[in-house]
Amino acid sequence: MSKIKKDRSADAFPKDPKQFEGHIDRYEGGVITGWAWDPELPDKPITVEVFSSHELLGSAVADQFRPDLKQQGMGNGKHGFQAKVKAPQEGGKVELKISDAESGTPIAAKAFEVEVQPQQNQGIVFEELAWGHLQGSIRIGGYDEEHLGFNLIGENGDVLGQASAVKVGPGHYRFNIPVPRELCDGGLHALTLSLLGNVNAEATYVDVFPSILTPWEHLASSARELNYSSLSRTAGYRYESLRRQLENLEASKSTPQVTAQIANLMLAHQVVLEGYEGRKKFPKLSLPKVAKPDVSIVIPVHNKLELTYHCLASLILAWNKASFEVIVVDDCSTDRTTELPEIVENVNVIVNEHNLGFLRNCNKAAKQARGEYVVMLNNDTEVTSGWLDEMITTFQRFDGVGMAGSKLIYPDGKLQEAGGIVWGNGQPWNLGNRGNPQAPEWNYARQADYLSGASLMVPRKIWEEVGGFSDEFAPAYYEDTDLAFKIRDYGYKTVYAPYSVVVHFEGMSNGRDESQGVKKNQVINAPKFRAKWIDSYMNNGQPSFDNVPFHKDRGVAYRVLLIDYAVPRPDHDAGSYAAVQEMRMLQANGFKVSFVAENMAHMGKYTDALQKMGVECFYAPFQTSVEQVLQSRGNEFDVVYITRFDVAERHLPAVKQHTNAKVLFNNADLHFLRELRAALAANKSDLSGPLATRDRELGLMRQVDGILSYNPTEHAVIASHNLKTDNLYITPWVLDGRGHRTPFKERSGLAFLGGYRHHPNIDAVEFFVEKVMPLLRKRLPGVAFHIYGSHMPDSFKKYEAEDVILEGFVESLDDVFESARLMVAPLLSGAGIKGKVLEGMSAGVPQVLTPVAAEATGLTHGVSAMIVEEPQAWVEAIAELYEDEKRWQQVSDNALTLARSNYSFDNGIKGMAKALEGVGVYPPNRKKSLISQH
């Protein structure tokens, strides 16, 4: 809020004021709403100050578009304002007036009269911030309505929305309001509640509003990933402890080399903390000295040493696996930039004899680059940990990438750019500007039209292949946009890497005035770019915020929404692995993939993994439910892909209501068949439960466009009831066919893998330990049975013995597949296809299975696996493979051959395309898809 610097009483106005027009429309909830403009300068917004007879109450820029003003011929209609004001000191009836802040000229001829009640701040109490909702109570004497409304106001005075509290007693109200999503960025914010109506009361809550609402205990496994450790409410204490420990190590001077490294790191940290503004002192820093760098970072500069020094300090501070060299091109600086080699060790400085400008500086420096990748980095930036690694992994994760670019944020934490779009009229937009950098729509990898030259990476070979920046755009502006179009013209992709985060002090290097200096080239080069690339952008749609969701993703022909009960965790269960592979297959068929889980939880590294592979994920606090996603985004989707019967049953009505999409239903397994088999295996006579499930499950299948199932047997069951086969498709399963490294003689024991929230896996363990192990101990004494998997029940503890080992959850399946001599899957019931069996096949580890476990896999008894039922047959099959290395190797080779021939990714793409074509969605023949290789 503005401070009072001059008299704003009525007598202080100029005698011959300039003529402004304006009006106060209303005062409510601590906010003045109105309009103001200067008819002589209709396109220039004016700043309005609101005051009473004695004091300045607040100010705002009159730049909000109002259709009513446009219709009345008031310029471009962008003259509305909302001003957060403090309550006048005087009570009773108060006249409010507005004036032009620059000249002090009054605007509205008529004052606006309001009735001011005494302040009652003490009546609003904030109690808790939980799950993205702010809870509290309000006590207002003499107020007796059922609801009490209030404005939600941000720290800049912007009205973010309205909400209400519910009456719980005389003059007593409670509220439980979602924090506005624009504040949920992990930063410190102030949120003010200002009561509506004649009640003059407000209070402000200050806190860090998280972008991830999942409780820390569920994210602890992601603590070692970038940025997650800061989510803990005790992170500040840990950071301070680490800082002091480093200071202590530096002071101890025990090892000179280590001490120097710590001192350099601590200095870089202090430089970044202090910022560049007003810096006069430049203590000596040291960049790493690298013989063969992975990356060459090119920084063109002209004066402004304080910016360059800050940028270099951030390069020292930010942690990355990748090694790098820094090449600074000094374009005839006249300040202390000329001393840079003495101020910062190991920086390679190229000094120009004549001014070359940004573009030619970059091209010149790139010729000296030694790294595999070249990075263009502005000197008015501050890099963060992982910024280099995340761009490099973009080239490793996706095929055919020619350029990767960072997410740029402003120093206040707001988003500056999440990649760019060039519309059909040739106009470029920086996507997401001033938005929340953590919002899902800006937080997944995607192909973009261009990436800002403030931080972009190109493999050196591709940079040389395309000739770097095009000289026609010298000295600067549009060179990065042109480079992106040129790289795509050579057949490569340009990809936005959202987890590479760089702070950009925009305008610090070249200013913002397009009429002078280097900045004027932005206007000069625009028509050059448009004429050169018209064929490439002419079909990109018209500039519009409504059009952004349909045009910001390049290389996609269709859009699909996947709905499941939870975020897939591939290291926990086979169903999660399958879900990720199905997303990849959809990507390969030309789809942009979006995903929503019923619990709306962000699951740390697992959600990150999806976003990094190009999947847009919806989660709280940005979306609150599956139905809310469908309501707000449903018009975007061509296909909705739902996994699991119970999930589809809950959400199919909303899908039908809010979208025109084709519905593909992946039943994962046939629930009623699984229930029926389990009941029969347990000799139950009451089958009413499975039969009720059958009626619901088959009824739902009659409401969808296509049914995907892993198991041909299930197809036959479905067809026998629904009397229809033309909408049944096999869900492709993808295996990497990786094989194994450990030979027969270095292996021992039997292993079973399972997630024990799935009851058939519990039954399998109980059967094997109780029925097979007693016989096996006689035939192969000492051979141990290792039980792996998450959520193991306490009932298993009674089975523990020297040869029955409860291993529990395992981080990597290789720990199992490289140690066990045989895999076993003694499943008595279940349906679908068994991921654990397929993974064993892909590793080439021989398996002994029941017919239920082998169902739909293609494995053949005695050839690629042993398939048995009775306990004695289990013992004989295990002994045959366990004792005979030649036989073991034969079965291993056959299983691996089957995995590589029947379960390849290419076969999976074709299988998914068949299902899509079956519902009338035809994948394009020429695809430029962004397909994750992981």
Side-chain angles (χ1 to χ4, degrees):
M1 188 176 295
S2 300
K3 295 182 178 178
I4 303 174
K5 294 184 179 179
K6 47 193 173 185
D7 187 3
R8 280 291 184 254
S9 66
D11 294 336
F13 290 127
K15 299 302 181 183
D16 297 311
K18 184 175 181 177
Q19 293 300 309
F20 293 93
E21 295 180 7
H23 188 262
I24 296 176
D25 296 334
R26 64 180 179 274
Y27 167 57
E28 189 175 38
V31 175
I32 298 288
T33 301
W35 57 270
W37 76 309
D38 180 355
E40 296 178 11
L41 297 170
D43 293 330
K44 181 181 178 181
I46 62 175
T47 299
V48 173
E49 291 185 336
V50 182
F51 59 95
S52 68
S53 58
H54 296 293
E55 60 179 327
L56 178 65
L57 304 179
S59 65
V61 178
D63 61 356
Q64 298 177 4
F65 177 72
R66 283 180 38 171
D68 59 324
L69 301 180
K70 178 74 171 175
Q71 291 170 4
Q72 294 178 39
M74 295 184 186
N76 55 17
K78 295 181 178 179
H79 307 299
F81 69 86
Q82 285 185 310
K84 171 68 178 73
V85 297
K86 64 180 181 180
Q89 291 180 358
E90 65 266 42
K93 292 184 178 180
V94 177
E95 288 188 345
L96 301 182
K97 296 181 180 180
I98 55 176
S99 69
D100 170 50
E102 184 176 343
S103 65
T105 304
I107 296 175
K110 185 178 179 181
F112 187 84
E113 191 175 85
V114 298
E115 184 77 23
V116 178
Q117 301 295 327
Q119 280 274 7
Q120 300 185 44
N121 284 5
Q122 69 278 9
I124 303 176
V125 177
F126 300 104
E127 297 171 356
E128 185 179 15
L129 177 67
W131 287 97
H133 283 65
L134 185 58
Q135 302 171 11
S137 64
I138 305 172
R139 290 186 181 274
I140 301 294
Y143 194 87
D144 200 38
E145 300 294 329
E146 291 301 314
H147 295 85
L148 180 60
F150 48 83
N151 276 328
L152 302 175
I153 302 170
E155 55 251 273
N156 297 323
D158 300 327
V159 178
L160 305 178
Q162 291 186 347
S164 64
V166 178
K167 183 179 178 182
V168 294
H172 185 197
Y173 297 81
R174 291 199 61 79
F175 59 84
N176 183 10
I177 55 172
V179 175
R181 59 172 285 176
E182 50 263 59
L183 301 185
C184 296
D185 59 5
L188 184 68
H189 293 289
L191 179 63
T192 298
L193 274 60
S194 187
L195 301 187
L196 298 172
N198 294 324
V199 182
N200 182 31
E202 66 179 34
T204 299
Y205 180 81
V206 179
D207 204 343
V208 172
F209 295 127
S211 59
I212 297 174
L213 301 185
T214 311
W216 174 248
E217 59 266 27
H218 299 299
L219 295 174
S221 64
S222 301
R224 296 183 66 85
E225 306 296 322
L226 280 175
N227 301 319
Y228 278 96
S229 60
S230 63
L231 293 180
S232 168
R233 283 287 188 166
T234 58
Y237 300 100
R238 295 166 185 162
Y239 167 78
E240 185 64 15
S241 297
L242 178 62
R243 184 182 68 83
R244 291 179 180 274
Q245 288 283 7
L246 288 172
E247 286 179 344
N248 184 60
L249 284 172
E250 191 271 332
S252 68
K253 305 185 184 302
S254 56
T255 307
Q257 185 176 3
V258 172
T259 299
Q261 290 174 345
I262 293 174
N264 186 56
L265 185 63
M266 294 296 291
L267 175 58
H269 173 261
Q270 192 63 36
V271 168
V272 173
L273 277 184
E274 293 171 352
Y276 65 89
E277 293 183 277
R279 177 168 290 281
K280 302 298 181 184
K281 296 181 179 179
F282 300 92
K284 191 168 184 177
L285 288 168
S286 180
L287 286 162
K289 188 174 184 178
V290 183
K292 294 183 65 177
D294 299 315
V295 181
S296 297
I297 300 172
V298 174
I299 306 176
V301 304
H302 174 70
N303 291 328
K304 301 188 184 300
L305 174 62
E306 65 278 6
L307 278 171
T308 306
Y309 184 76
H310 184 94
C311 177
L312 295 177
S314 75
L315 285 169
I316 295 168
L317 181 63
W319 183 86
N320 287 274
K321 293 179 183 177
S323 61
F324 62 89
E325 64 173 351
V326 177
I327 305 172
V328 172
V329 191
D330 179 4
D331 204 20
C332 303
S333 293
T334 56
D335 68 353
R336 290 186 65 189
T337 299
T338 56
E339 304 172 27
L340 190 59
E342 288 73 47
I343 295 173
V344 181
E345 288 184 338
N346 301 322
V347 62
N348 180 3
V349 180
I350 302 172
V351 180
N352 292 338
E353 293 182 8
H354 306 286
N355 192 282
L356 295 180
F358 175 86
L359 186 153
R360 289 172 179 154
N361 281 333
C362 292
N363 283 348
K364 180 179 181 179
K367 291 178 181 178
Q368 294 194 19
R370 296 179 295 145
E372 181 182 353
Y373 301 94
V374 177
V375 166
M376 297 298 154
L377 183 68
N378 277 18
N379 71 328
D380 58 346
T381 59
E382 178 185 320
V383 302
T384 68
S385 289
W387 77 287
L388 276 180
D389 295 340
E390 289 297 331
M391 283 199 282
I392 290 173
T393 55
T394 301
F395 297 93
Q396 299 167 346
R397 183 175 288 116
F398 306 109
D399 284 337
V401 177
M403 176 192 285
S406 300
K407 175 194 289 180
L408 301 181
I409 63 173
Y410 290 108
D412 66 359
K414 292 291 186 182
L415 180 63
Q416 182 188 127
E417 180 180 323
I421 187 173
V422 176
W423 294 103
N425 63 357
Q427 181 181 0
W429 276 21
N430 296 341
L431 292 172
N433 188 258
R434 299 307 302 175
N436 187 332
Q438 302 304 325
E441 59 265 35
W442 311 124
N443 228 28
Y444 66 98
R446 68 176 201 282
Q447 297 184 70
D449 282 342
Y450 67 90
L451 304 156
S452 171
S455 175
L456 63 81
M457 175 182 284
V458 180
R460 183 158 53 91
K461 289 182 179 179
I462 294 178
W463 175 273
E464 293 168 354
E465 181 183 356
V466 304
F469 288 136
S470 299
D471 198 70
E472 65 201 277
F473 294 98
Y477 290 102
Y478 277 89
E479 73 287 333
D480 49 1
T481 314
D482 171 78
L483 179 63
F485 275 71
K486 189 161 58 170
I487 283 175
R488 281 197 303 280
D489 201 43
Y490 274 72
Y492 300 105
K493 300 166 187 171
T494 50
V495 179
Y496 162 64
Y499 286 78
S500 171
V501 179
V502 172
V503 182
H504 187 203
F505 308 100
E506 186 185 37
M508 294 298 102
S509 294
N510 296 322
R512 298 179 182 178
D513 189 344
E514 295 180 4
S515 65
Q516 61 181 350
V518 177
K519 193 77 173 177
K520 68 182 180 182
N521 292 286
Q522 190 167 355
V523 177
I524 295 171
N525 285 343
K528 293 181 187 178
F529 171 82
R530 292 178 181 179
K532 182 176 181 180
W533 295 109
I534 177 66
D535 291 345
S536 298
Y537 65 71
M538 64 187 300
N539 295 317
N540 286 1
Q542 293 305 305
S544 164
F545 287 109
D546 291 337
N547 285 339
V548 167
F550 298 95
H551 291 280
K552 68 183 173 76
D553 300 87
R554 290 288 169 248
V556 300
Y558 303 104
R559 291 164 178 80
V560 59
L561 174 68
L562 276 78
I563 306 174
D564 204 344
Y565 81 102
V567 173
R569 299 189 293 170
D571 57 353
H572 278 67
D573 59 86
S576 290
Y577 169 83
V580 171
Q581 298 307 315
E582 286 154 30
M583 293 180 199
R584 293 180 63 225
M585 287 182 274
L586 286 163
Q587 287 179 324
N589 276 292
F591 278 80
K592 173 198 170 178
V593 177
S594 299
F595 174 82
V596 60
E598 283 190 301
N599 60 12
M600 303 306 298
H602 187 297
M603 291 306 298
K605 63 183 179 181
Y606 299 105
T607 299
D608 288 349
L610 294 182
Q611 293 181 132
K612 289 179 181 181
M613 66 178 271
V615 175
E616 180 182 27
C617 296
F618 299 119
Y619 42 82
F622 302 99
Q623 285 81 22
T624 56
S625 67
V626 173
E627 183 164 7
Q628 192 259 329
V629 171
L630 292 166
Q631 286 175 339
S632 60
R633 301 284 298 274
N635 65 326
E636 297 176 29
F637 303 116
D638 303 286
V639 173
V640 174
Y641 187 109
I642 314 178
T643 300
R644 300 174 215 281
F645 153 61
D646 52 337
V647 176
E649 191 175 47
R650 285 189 287 272
H651 302 295
L652 188 58
V655 171
K656 296 284 189 179
Q657 180 182 354
H658 300 297
T659 80
N660 293 315
K662 299 292 186 180
V663 180
L664 277 174
F665 167 55
N666 181 351
N667 75 327
D669 60 22
L670 200 54
H671 286 51
F672 85 84
L673 181 61
R674 172 162 47 85
E675 292 176 7
L676 187 63
R677 284 174 167 173
L680 294 174
N683 295 315
K684 292 182 179 178
S685 58
D686 182 6
L687 302 179
S688 58
L691 294 178
T693 302
R694 178 195 64 185
D695 294 341
R696 290 166 53 207
E697 194 166 9
L698 293 170
L700 180 136
M701 290 179 180
R702 290 191 285 270
Q703 300 176 54
V704 302
D705 298 290
I707 302 164
L708 283 158
S709 175
Y710 300 108
N711 192 328
T713 301
E714 295 185 0
H715 279 199
V717 173
I718 295 167
S720 69
H721 287 82
N722 283 354
L723 305 178
K724 186 177 182 180
T725 60
D726 61 357
N727 67 341
L728 292 171
Y729 307 97
I730 291 291
T731 313
W733 195 290
V734 173
L735 299 173
D736 56 17
R738 61 187 178 277
H740 58 262
R741 303 179 302 276
T742 309
F744 173 86
K745 290 181 180 178
E746 295 177 20
R747 295 170 171 270
S748 64
L750 317 174
F752 175 73
L753 271 170
Y756 299 100
R757 286 178 175 170
H758 189 57
H759 203 272
N761 289 330
I762 297 176
D763 293 341
V765 170
E766 291 174 347
F767 166 77
F768 195 83
V769 175
E770 294 176 5
K771 303 295 184 182
V772 178
M773 282 301 295
L775 302 176
L776 189 65
R777 287 182 178 116
K778 297 176 181 177
R779 178 67 177 80
L780 295 174
V783 172
F785 177 44
H786 299 263
I787 306 170
Y788 293 91
S790 57
H791 309 293
M792 198 172 289
D794 291 339
S795 61
F796 281 8
K797 291 180 180 179
K798 65 186 178 185
Y799 296 136
E800 276 191 290
E802 287 188 9
D803 59 357
V804 178
I805 303 168
L806 306 183
E807 302 281 5
F809 175 72
V810 60
E811 287 285 347
S812 172
L813 291 181
D814 283 347
D815 294 341
V816 181
F817 295 139
E818 294 296 337
S819 61
R821 186 169 290 185
L822 296 180
M823 301 297 299
V824 297
L827 296 171
L828 306 179
S829 64
I833 198 169
K834 312 305 176 295
K836 63 178 78 51
V837 175
L838 295 176
E839 284 298 316
M841 183 196 310
S842 183
V845 180
Q847 302 181 81
V848 183
L849 314 167
T850 61
V852 170
E855 196 171 71
T857 61
L859 291 166
T860 305
H861 175 62
V863 178
S864 46
M866 304 299 285
I867 302 172
V868 293
E869 291 188 82
E870 298 302 321
Q872 188 59 47
W874 268 92
V875 173
E876 293 169 2
I878 289 170
E880 180 180 341
L881 295 178
Y882 202 90
E883 295 182 314
D884 188 336
E885 181 178 358
K886 184 176 179 181
R887 186 78 177 99
W888 184 94
Q889 192 63 55
Q890 183 184 52
V891 172
S892 171
D893 293 342
N894 291 340
L896 192 55
T897 299
L898 180 65
R900 290 171 176 171
S901 60
N902 287 13
Y903 295 93
S904 68
F905 188 58
D906 285 343
N907 281 345
I909 296 171
K910 294 172 185 175
M912 187 62 75
K914 185 177 180 180
L916 293 166
E917 291 167 0
V919 298
V921 180
Y922 295 89
N925 294 318
R926 296 174 183 172
K927 308 181 188 76
K928 294 184 178 179
S929 306
L930 192 65
I931 313 165
S932 172
Q933 300 305 304
H934 305 298

